[in-house]
Every structure is written in structure tokens, then in C-alpha cells.
Amino acid sequence: MLLRKLRKITAFQAVLISCLTALAVFMSLPIIFIINHAFKPQNELFLFPPRFFVQSPTFRNFESLILHASNATVPFTRYLFNSIIIAALTLGCVILVSTMAGYVLAKYRFHFKGLIMSMITLSLMFAPETVGIPRYLIISGIGINDTYFGHILPALASPVAVFMLVGFISQIPSELLEAAKIDGASHLGIFAKIVLPLSVPAVATISILTFQGVWGDVETSTLFMQEETMRTLAFYVNSLLSGLQNSVAGQNMAAAAGLLMFLPNLIIFLLFQKRVLETMVHSGIK
């Protein structure tokens, strides 16, 4: 069977596959370098000419990173725990709020619907830095500084997620929802049993975008959190790298920290990449 398929491949297809394979290998080189760089001992980090692959892999870089945090007032595990909890809670809340908002905006008619959609579209133009002061005033005003909810609330309203879900849910046939209503299904039942399962590809896409934004977010810990125990791993790594820019001895910790920040994003993307492609395919079908 395999030989038959290989025989059917034309010369153009063979060249195309070879070119795409070479391109894929080339695009994966930065990922391979980051992984190898994190396991290089101190002497290999400053070799000239530099080596792409590690010769004597070691876990001492990660030990140094953890011990460096242990010598401070807050242990490394606390930063890691905060990041995991905040990322998980934010991801769940954003998915719930965005899918419900997308369903209502896509399938219901009500006053000021066009105005709301225009505001959502307009909000996509603003950089996060431009709303830093209003966010701080709101967080401080309701008194949720130094809490997990103070991390979650700024990311809860995601215009990108709502905009994407409105476009995706609008492609679900309205006849299917009307049939469910005739059968006695409630609004919540239609949302939970029909809309949400059919929106899994779009949900996977916004999950990747949300996780990447929350996992690497430094602004929230910097502006809204005064207690060190409520800050995240991204804040600790950013502070560490800022202090090690001119330090030769700390480059091994910087390499290990870079891998720790990158690896979860890679895993999440690999888990949901198939769903992301489905979202792109469906978004072009009207």
C-alpha cells in the first residue's frame, strides 16, 4: 500500500514535499536551540565558535535557578504555583465568558447590538499599555489588589476571543437551534449541548492565545500586586533576566528560565494545533 502511494507521487509533488520538509526543519531550529541552550553547562555557554547542540547536558542550570529563588523571601515554587493557578482560572473564565457573549451576539437580536460589535472591533485597535491606568483605577477601586481575581479580571474581557467566536458561531445553522427550541431545549441547554461542542475549534484557538498572554504577562504583577507572594513566574523571570543582563555567572539561570517560560506555550500549541487549523478552514466558509 505504501509503495503504491509512493509510486503515484509526481516529480513536482516530490520536490514540493522536500522543500516543505526542509522549511519545517529550518523553522524548528530556534526551538531545538532553546532546548539545547538550557542544558548547556557554564563552560559551553561561552565557547567560541558557539555550538548549536549541547555536548555535556546538565540539570545544574535549573538547580541554580531554583536555589537562587530559594535564597530570596519567596520560593520558586510559589511563583510557579501562582502562574499555574492564574493561567488555569483565567483560561476557564475567558472561555466561558467569551463563548456566551459570542453566542448572544451571533444568534440573538437586541437593541444596541451593532454598537456593541463596533465597540468590540474598536477595542482591537488599542494596545494593552493604553488601558493600564484605567485598569489600575478599577482594580484599586474595587479592592482586589494582591488577589488572584486581580490577575484574572484584566484578562476576562477578551475582544479577540469574542470577535473570533462571533464569526465562528454565526456559521452554525440557525435551523439547528430552532429545532432544539421546538423540542423544548432551554437557552442554556442549547448553549451547553449544541453551541459549545460545535465551537471547540474556535475555543481551542482562543485557549492558545489566552494562555500565551496570561503565562507571559508581567504587567499585572508589576502594577496591581504589591505582595511578592502574589506575583507570577513571568515577573520573577523578567526580574531575574533584567538583573543578569551584564552577569556572566548568571547566564545559565537565564537559559533555564527561558526554557521554562517557552515550554508550556509549545505544549499548548502542539495539543491544540489541529483545532486551530479547523478554525482557519471554517472561517473561510460562508
Side-chain angles (χ1 to χ4, degrees):
M1 183 65 69
L2 181 60
L3 291 175
R4 288 182 181 178
K5 291 183 179 180
L6 291 176
R7 289 173 182 174
K8 291 181 180 179
I9 295 177
T10 63
F12 174 77
Q13 290 175 333
V15 173
L16 182 61
I17 292 172
S18 300
C19 292
L20 292 177
T21 303
L23 181 61
V25 173
F26 178 76
M27 296 294 290
S28 64
L29 290 180
I31 300 174
I32 298 172
F33 177 78
I34 291 175
I35 296 173
N36 278 269
H37 196 66
F39 292 97
K40 287 181 181 178
Q42 191 77 18
N43 60 327
E44 288 190 32
L45 290 172
F46 299 97
L47 284 177
F48 186 82
R51 295 178 180 176
F52 191 86
F53 294 102
V54 58
Q55 303 297 317
S56 303
T58 178
F59 285 95
R60 191 175 298 274
N61 298 343
F62 297 93
E63 294 176 6
S64 301
L65 177 64
I66 295 173
L67 291 175
H68 184 274
S70 299
N71 295 331
T73 56
V74 179
F76 178 83
T77 51
R78 178 67 185 188
Y79 293 110
L80 181 61
F81 175 79
N82 287 344
S83 290
I84 293 174
I85 291 296
I86 291 167
L89 292 177
T90 304
L91 193 60
C93 292
V94 168
I95 290 173
L96 180 62
V97 172
S98 299
T99 49
M100 293 179 71
Y103 170 51
V104 172
L105 290 171
K107 292 300 181 182
Y108 287 88
R109 295 182 179 179
F110 52 91
H111 295 295
F112 306 112
K113 175 181 175 180
L115 178 62
I116 294 173
M117 285 299 302
S118 299
M119 293 176 62
I120 291 174
T121 306
L122 183 64
S123 63
L124 296 173
M125 301 170 58
F126 289 92
E129 293 78 11
T130 60
V131 294
I133 294 176
R135 283 180 176 177
Y136 178 79
L137 295 175
I138 293 172
I139 297 292
S140 301
I142 59 180
I144 57 174
N145 296 80
D146 298 319
T147 63
Y148 287 124
F149 190 58
H151 283 277
I152 297 171
L153 185 61
L156 196 57
S158 178
V160 176
V162 175
F163 184 81
M164 184 177 296
L165 282 164
V166 168
F168 194 91
I169 295 175
S170 62
Q171 299 176 33
I172 298 176
S174 299
E175 293 79 6
L176 181 63
L177 307 184
E178 292 296 332
K181 290 180 183 179
I182 294 174
D183 290 340
S186 62
H187 294 292
L188 184 61
I190 294 173
F191 171 75
K193 296 180 180 180
I194 299 178
V195 176
L196 198 56
L198 292 177
S199 304
V200 168
V203 170
T205 304
I206 66 172
S207 298
I208 295 175
L209 299 176
T210 303
F211 181 84
Q212 289 178 343
V214 174
W215 184 258
D217 179 50
V218 179
E219 178 186 353
T220 306
S221 295
T222 305
L223 297 180
F224 311 140
M225 305 297 140
Q226 285 73 47
E227 293 185 9
E228 194 68 23
T229 54
M230 291 305 301
R231 287 171 169 165
T232 60
L233 181 62
F235 175 85
Y236 170 70
V237 170
N238 185 71
S239 303
L240 178 67
L241 295 180
S242 299
L244 296 177
Q245 286 180 353
N246 298 318
S247 173
V248 174
Q251 293 306 308
N252 58 338
M253 290 187 291
L259 180 62
L260 286 179
M261 292 304 300
F262 169 75
L263 203 55
N265 289 316
L266 178 63
I267 294 173
I268 291 294
F269 178 77
L270 292 177
L271 289 176
F272 296 116
Q273 64 171 340
K274 183 179 179 180
R275 297 296 186 181
V276 174
L277 294 175
E278 290 180 11
T279 306
M280 294 179 180
V281 171
H282 285 290
S283 63
I285 300 175
K286 300 296 181 182

